[in-house]
Amino acid sequence: MSIQIRKTLLQVETTLIEGGKAAPLPLKLYSAFAVVKNPWAGKGFVEDLKPEIHAGAPVLGELLTRMIIEAVGSGEAVEGYGKAALVGLDGEIEHASALIHTLRFGNHFRNAVGAKSYLAFCNTRGPANAPIMIPLMDKNDEGRRSHYLTIQTAIPDAPAADEIVVALGASVGGRPHHRIGDRYQDLKDLGHDVTNPAGV
């Protein structure tokens, strides 16, 4: 079964002033969304989600990645990245997770931007106009706190109870006046090794 896409949405946010101070370089946040029919809605508890994952996730990964890259201009320019899914009230959190937590989805984005980090993520359930949160991190360095960002938006008519909103997000730049350091200094101060950050 092919994935049914009702509509897509592309959003670009530019921050010029933060904390009352002009940004040295504007922060640009990009997000791409697809509103899709939940392929498991109305079927009761479905044990095997793989057929629909294999059919839908690659289509969504390719589509949303293309939307982001066309908006940004190149994969190289992307610095932070992340993903999210919001399932409607007739669905399970597992349905949201299914379409984004697979390499068949994420690798499209990862390869297009040349990333080494895992994709930060959020998967939630809610009604139409519920908040959609896309957490971001540096595409190559999980400890670079300047790129710990979150894109937040909502779509007034989505998700319907039998839909899922699937999203990718990207940043060009980090927080304009970041000044909390990075996790590596914390590790050094605490005497912990980078490979064992919890010190256990």
Side-chain angles (χ1 to χ4, degrees):
M1 179 199 316
S2 60
I3 198 79
Q4 296 179 46
I5 301 172
R6 178 164 69 85
K7 69 177 184 177
T8 62
L9 174 69
L10 179 68
Q11 178 174 285
V12 182
E13 177 183 342
T14 304
T15 300
L16 304 172
I17 298 171
E18 180 69 23
K21 182 178 178 181
L25 292 173
L27 166 64
K28 296 187 78 72
L29 298 174
Y30 299 82
S31 46
F33 307 85
V35 179
V36 305
K37 176 84 170 178
N38 182 342
W40 303 285
K43 296 183 178 179
F45 187 86
V46 178
E47 189 67 41
D48 183 8
L49 306 181
K50 281 185 179 179
E52 293 83 4
I53 292 171
H54 291 186
V59 174
L60 295 170
E62 191 279 330
L63 169 66
L64 296 173
T65 296
R66 185 174 70 248
M67 290 171 64
I68 293 278
I69 299 304
E70 287 177 356
V72 174
S74 74
E76 293 75 19
V78 170
E79 297 179 25
Y81 76 155
K83 62 185 176 181
L86 169 64
V87 66
L89 295 177
D90 285 351
E92 302 174 39
I93 292 291
E94 195 73 0
H95 299 162
S97 299
L99 292 178
I100 64 171
H101 294 305
T102 168
L103 297 179
R104 290 170 171 83
F105 176 79
N107 273 0
H108 289 276
F109 200 19
R110 191 174 291 108
N111 294 338
V113 303
K116 298 175 184 175
S117 302
Y118 68 87
L119 271 160
F121 65 89
C122 181
N123 29 251
T124 53
R125 178 172 49 224
N129 211 36
I132 302 168
M133 313 288 277
I134 311 174
L136 308 180
M137 68 165 53
D138 186 282
K139 69 179 182 181
N140 291 320
D141 184 353
E142 294 99 333
R144 191 181 181 196
R145 289 186 179 139
S146 58
H147 286 58
Y148 291 176
L149 294 155
T150 304
I151 297 170
Q152 179 176 342
T153 193
I155 303 174
D157 69 341
D162 63 350
E163 290 181 329
I164 304 173
V165 178
V166 179
L168 290 177
S171 77
V172 175
R175 295 191 310 279
H177 309 300
H178 58 90
R179 50 197 188 276
I180 61 170
D182 62 40
R183 72 194 305 263
Y184 307 112
Q185 186 60 49
D186 281 359
L187 291 170
K188 183 179 176 182
D189 293 345
L190 293 168
H192 295 177
D193 189 274
V194 172
T195 59
N196 183 22
V200 295

